[in-house]
Amino acid sequence: MDIRHDHGALIHVVRACDNGDAPDLVAIGGDSSVSILLITDTAATPVASFHIGARISALAWSPRAVSPSASDQWLIELAAASADFGLHLLTKAPGAPEDVFPFGGGLSGHHGAVNDMTFCGGPSDDAARYVATASDDKMLMVWDLQPALDIPSLPHSPSPASDAPSGASTAGAGGAPRAQPTAYALPFPRALSAVCAHAARTKDLLVADARGALALVDWRSEPGHAPAGAWHHPRVLELAAPRALAGGARAAPASAAWQHANPDIIAAVHGARFSLWDLSKLRGGHPSHAGPTFADGGAQRVRWCPTYPEYFARQRRRGGGGATLHVWHAAAQGGHAQAPAAFALAPRPARVRDFDFVPLAGIPRIAAAVGRELVVFYIGVE
């Protein structure tokens, strides 16, 4: 049975928590707030709401998050980016109100739309310490949320909304003043559309740009190790889909994602094409498999299923096909993808603005934003 939750406003961003202690939590970002839903077999129940005051453009769950269904000592913690280029750390614990900690303002922050973000500490004590953000300003920034020095941040210079949201806080644990996060900036030649980290990797980020190109970046390397005159930070590997690069000025921004079970497998969509890479079998950076997405070039997001790692999905965000998702099965041998299963959630002019797999046990489920509704549905039957 499908679950439909009316958010009351357009939903722009959907992120499910893939922590083992919080697989039933889904965050949705709307015109001015972030809501946290607890997903069961029959309902999507709101458990927290954070007022930001601007449209949400990206969300990322902290590895510290624990669901109220898993423990009495639960913790909701995630990062959010808003359309005024601001960044926010959102937390809620038992018996405490929602807390919004703004950071990333002034000269030290982004000066363009933040299109994606991810926690990137890897399998270490730093798992919840670092968060990376990718922006239209051609900058990848890695933020230290627990800096040793407190460097005050100036107000958002380019922001259309300078007032702090209600509930904003500068306090840390125990009520002590919290140091402003510091940023490590990595410049790129083009606007960035996506950034992804893998839970098994401590130093690599997968970055996609507005022309459809991908790169693996070693963000922990010292800047001094870069070649003289290098225009951006050292990269481990560049990945390129020839048809995406051949598009020139018409090339579409890419969305990329690591397979949860295997950091060697990467999927990306770029306009009317998708590509799969197997990093254990490099072919000069070219994909091991590629194929068409939607005929009108409307694909804009790709996600892997964390519970059934061979499945990945793509959304249609424009065109005449209505709110549609394609789910593909990537064969274990050779990285090839079989024909997709299409899921039509609503007729035109509706469209899927964002989606994510919900990592609950059993048949895989997807949470998709269609207008003001979050639709949670199974992609198969028992």
Side-chain angles (χ1 to χ4, degrees), residues 330-341:
Q333 300 298 324
H336 297 291
Q338 300 174 359

Side-chain angles (χ1 to χ4, degrees), residues 266-368:
I266 291 171
V269 295
H270 32 82
R273 304 287 296 176
F274 81 93
S275 301
L276 294 176
W277 285 266
D278 184 345
L279 301 184
S280 67
K281 303 173 183 177
L282 288 176
R283 307 192 315 164
H286 295 288
S288 58
H289 183 70
T293 57
F294 300 102
D296 56 16
Q300 189 163 340
R301 181 80 71 191
V302 62
R303 305 278 196 211
W304 287 97
C305 178
T307 54
Y308 285 75
E310 66 273 20
Y311 287 100
F312 66 97
R314 305 191 303 270
Q315 74 188 101
R316 178 197 290 271
R317 286 201 60 177
R318 67 174 183 267
T324 305
L325 284 168
H326 278 182
V327 177
W328 290 68
H329 183 280
Q333 300 298 324
H336 297 291
Q338 300 174 359
F343 294 86
L345 305 181
R348 59 185 305 183
R351 60 189 177 98
V352 176
R353 291 181 176 270
D354 199 6
F355 76 98
D356 204 356
F357 282 93
V358 180
L360 287 166
I363 301 171
R365 278 180 270 188
I366 290 177

Side-chain angles (χ1 to χ4, degrees), residues 22 37 53 58 128-129 145 159 166 181 191 198-199 213 270 277 324 352 361 363 381:
L37 305 177
R129 178 173 179 175
L145 302 181
S159 170
S166 59
H198 196 281
H270 32 82
W277 285 266
T324 305
V352 176
I363 301 171
V381 296

Side-chain angles (χ1 to χ4, degrees), residues 78-144:
L78 67 162
S82 49
D84 58 6
F85 317 151
L87 303 174
H88 317 267
L89 185 65
L90 315 179
T91 56
K92 181 174 173 57
E98 288 86 343
D99 183 81
V100 179
F101 176 66
F103 66 96
L107 300 178
S108 64
H110 283 293
H111 296 267
V114 178
N115 296 315
D116 204 4
M117 63 197 317
T118 181
F119 279 82
C120 56
S124 69
D125 293 339
D126 292 336
R129 178 173 179 175
Y130 299 104
V131 63
T133 53
S135 172
D136 279 347
D137 63 8
K138 306 180 183 180
M139 300 294 289
L140 173 69
M141 290 190 173
V142 179
W143 298 85
D144 183 353

